[in-house]
């Protein structure tokens, strides 16, 4: 039960939107006694302390030794070095979870570094992105009613998984379980591929001979369709690199469909086009209904 | 000056969102004495009369003979038959404009049917789409602060163009002029291509092996990116058919960029990816700022 969760010391590696909101959510629920923060930039840690996100800035080693729960909220390409700094100092009791958007590469990094502590790591992905970042963007209710995908490892004890799920549930999250491979395919399909397409689409418009007029005339449909392209380029590069196999799989599949559609348009197969539009519109409307 | 505009009799062919809002906008401004409505379905015309959009339902012939201004708000593939019904009965004084999303095919249809009346037709495209349709969706302020692209023909007298622009301006629109070819390329780039991509993307997700999980996990980014895919399949099929040359041109250009991006990802050229993401994100953020 979420109500019975008690965390003595929480350590957050990365005290921005994702890590900071996790700490604030657990603090608000009154289940955590002390929050330690780890990060590269002293001013960010100080800001997190002033905002009441953490009680104290510490080293990775101190976090590994003192914490009951560690939440790693690092860029997805930084996990290996984060784990490496923790690995030699982890206590028997500490449990680790994370907030990374990709799981295959994070689990590989964990296996490469954590050794026989691997069972103490329960990978998770909170589906709660934002254009905002940093400690000032963090808030206790970020995860309320948001989906969090937990990807238990075969080395995880049942209790360890339950403990991590209980922490996320205490933040208000809706929990789901997927295996690592399926997780990466699912997020490639519903999150990474749209970002890829929106970004390339905006680039095409920017390079169009009519670019100035295009942007001047662009309206509400353009705004919605391309909104996600504003995300952080560093974060998204890392995500594409980290989730490359699933991305390439999704891209191949989409390119085949795009070619088929282009051929239909070129040869005037308007029935194909209407059929495609109907199937797509009906599925999207159904999703809208199920969601609300 | 918009204030000086006086329209004796307005005829609207198609009394739904686009045509109905045009009539209501001019009525609200007090510049029109009488509004005639033409349409295929008697119940829709009756509904428009009850809603105060039109005063009377008439035939195409009556509209052609009696109106000072005709606004054609028909599906883009229906213009040729609409014009054909009007052509033989048009008075010397009547001016025609339209609300079609494509212009090349509409102008071709006009040239094929209107004969020496071609100079009385001033093509226009109000950029004010919606998922809503029918007379009940129409409202006087639909065009307020929305872009309307006017595509004057070389046969149009200056006064004729001014009269049409004045009517649109009276509805609150921001006016722009483009030639027909450039109009079709611009709307392909900023409106039709996003719809095409969003629809094919949703279809790919619907056919994914993980489709059920995909839709369950999909969040705010997915929602925004795919919202436009809910549009009417008949209307959008017609638009793709009507704007085929510009669409194929835009599609070819996008496919080349998509291939380049896929190659960069496949071979691990992460600098290319970051560069692409940066250029795109900066341009999109700039657009957001200019817009607000």
């Amino acid at each position: 039960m979420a109500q019975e969760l008690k965390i003595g010391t929480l350590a957050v590696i990365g005290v921005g939107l994702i890590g900071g909101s996790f700490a604030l959510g657990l603090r608000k629920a009154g289940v955590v006694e002390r929050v330690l923060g780890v990060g590269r930039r002293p001013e960010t840690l100080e800001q997190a302390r002033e905002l009441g996100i953490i009680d104290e800035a510490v080293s990775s080693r101190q976090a590994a030794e003192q914490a009951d729960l560690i939440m790693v909220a690092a860029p997805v390409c930084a996990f290996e070095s984060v784990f490496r700094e923790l690995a030699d100092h982890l206590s028997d009791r500490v449990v680790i979870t994370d907030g990374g958007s990709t799981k295959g590469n994070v689990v590989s990094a964990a296996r490469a570094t954590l050794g026989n502590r691997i069972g103490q790591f329960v990978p998770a992905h909170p589906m709660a992105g934002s254009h905002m970042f940093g400690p000032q963007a963090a808030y206790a209710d970020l995860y309320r009613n948001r989906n969090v995908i937990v990807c238990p490892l075969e080395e995880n004890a049942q209790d360890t998984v339950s403990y991590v799920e209980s922490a996320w549930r205490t933040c208000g999250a809706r929990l789901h379980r997927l295996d690592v491979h399926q997780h990466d395919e699912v997020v490639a399909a519903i999150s990474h591929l749209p970002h890829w397409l929106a970004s390339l689409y905006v680039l095409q418009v920017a390079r169009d001979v009519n670019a100035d007029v295009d942007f001047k005339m662009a309206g509400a449909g353009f705004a919605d369709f391309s909104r996600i392209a504003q995300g952080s380029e560093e974060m998204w590069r890392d995500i594409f690199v980290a989730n490359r196999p699933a991305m390439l799989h999704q891209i191949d599949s989409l390119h085949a469909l795009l070619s088929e559609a282009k051929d239909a348009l070129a040869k005037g197969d308007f029935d194909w086009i209407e059929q495609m539009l109907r199937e797509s519109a009906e599925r999207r409307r159904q999703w809208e209904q199920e969601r609300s």
Side-chain angles (χ1 to χ4, degrees), chain A residues 44-56:
Chain A
T44 306
L45 289 164
E46 178 52 25
Q47 202 183 357
R49 207 187 54 74
E50 284 168 7
L51 290 164
I53 295 171
I54 62 170
D55 297 303
E56 197 184 336

Side-chain angles (χ1 to χ4, degrees), chain A residues 39-265:
Chain A
R40 283 165 305 170
R41 304 178 65 231
E43 56 273 31
T44 306
L45 289 164
E46 178 52 25
Q47 202 183 357
R49 207 187 54 74
E50 284 168 7
L51 290 164
I53 295 171
I54 62 170
D55 297 303
E56 197 184 336
V58 299
S59 67
S60 290
R61 176 174 185 154
Q62 288 169 300
E65 288 171 350
Q66 298 173 28
D68 299 291
L69 178 62
I70 295 175
M71 152 47 147
V72 183
V76 290
C77 290
F79 271 77
E80 187 157 335
S81 72
V82 168
F83 286 143
R84 207 174 289 284
E85 288 178 21
L86 294 170
D88 291 342
H89 312 291
L90 291 166
S91 68
D92 289 339
R93 74 175 186 289
V94 66
V95 171
I96 309 170
T97 188
D98 77 306
S101 302
T102 58
K103 293 273 79 77
N105 78 308
V106 166
V107 170
S108 297
R111 290 196 191 286
T113 52
L114 298 184
N116 60 7
R117 299 284 187 201
I118 187 70
Q120 293 170 242
F121 173 52
V122 183
H125 175 197
M127 312 279 283
S130 167
H131 298 142
M132 313 293 285
F133 57 90
Q136 69 288 346
Y139 62 103
D141 286 329
L142 175 66
Y143 301 117
R144 188 146 306 278
N145 297 320
R146 305 302 283 268
N147 293 319
V148 171
I149 302 174
V150 175
C151 302
L153 305 179
E154 54 181 19
E155 295 90 341
N156 292 146
Q158 187 81 38
D159 282 357
T160 311
V161 176
S162 299
Y163 179 70
V164 165
E165 289 184 331
S166 178
W168 283 110
R169 198 176 290 117
T170 299
C171 293
R174 293 178 185 164
L175 290 172
H176 306 272
R177 284 191 192 181
L178 292 179
D179 73 40
V180 168
H181 175 77
Q182 195 183 12
H183 168 278
D184 284 357
E185 287 287 341
V186 167
V187 296
I190 60 168
S191 169
H192 307 169
L193 186 62
H195 194 98
W196 182 259
L197 282 175
S199 298
L200 288 162
Y201 165 73
V202 171
L203 192 61
Q204 147 141 327
V205 177
R207 293 175 177 179
D208 190 47
V209 288
N210 297 310
D212 289 347
V213 184
D214 289 340
F215 283 115
K216 208 163 151 187
M217 294 300 125
F222 174 90
D224 281 353
F225 181 76
S226 63
R227 182 166 295 120
I228 49 177
Q230 292 172 91
S232 154
E233 52 267 27
E234 291 86 2
M235 188 187 97
W236 280 97
R237 179 209 51 204
D238 284 359
I239 287 174
F240 294 133
V241 171
N243 204 21
R244 187 151 66 134
M247 272 302 288
L248 288 171
H249 177 232
Q250 290 289 328
I251 287 171
D252 279 341
S253 178
L254 181 74
H255 285 196
L257 186 56
L258 289 174
S259 293
E260 192 182 352
K262 190 205 144 178
D263 291 346
L265 184 62

Side-chain angles (χ1 to χ4, degrees), chain A residues 3-52:
Chain A
Q3 291 88 328
E4 295 170 17
L5 179 70
K6 284 290 163 201
I7 300 165
T9 299
L10 169 70
V12 180
I13 318 245
V15 295
L17 174 72
I18 298 298
S21 296
F22 186 76
L24 289 173
L26 293 174
R27 262 199 206 281
K28 187 182 173 187
V31 301
V32 64
E33 284 171 26
R34 184 166 161 250
V35 182
L36 308 178
V38 179
R40 283 165 305 170
R41 304 178 65 231
E43 56 273 31
T44 306
L45 289 164
E46 178 52 25
Q47 202 183 357
R49 207 187 54 74
E50 284 168 7
L51 290 164

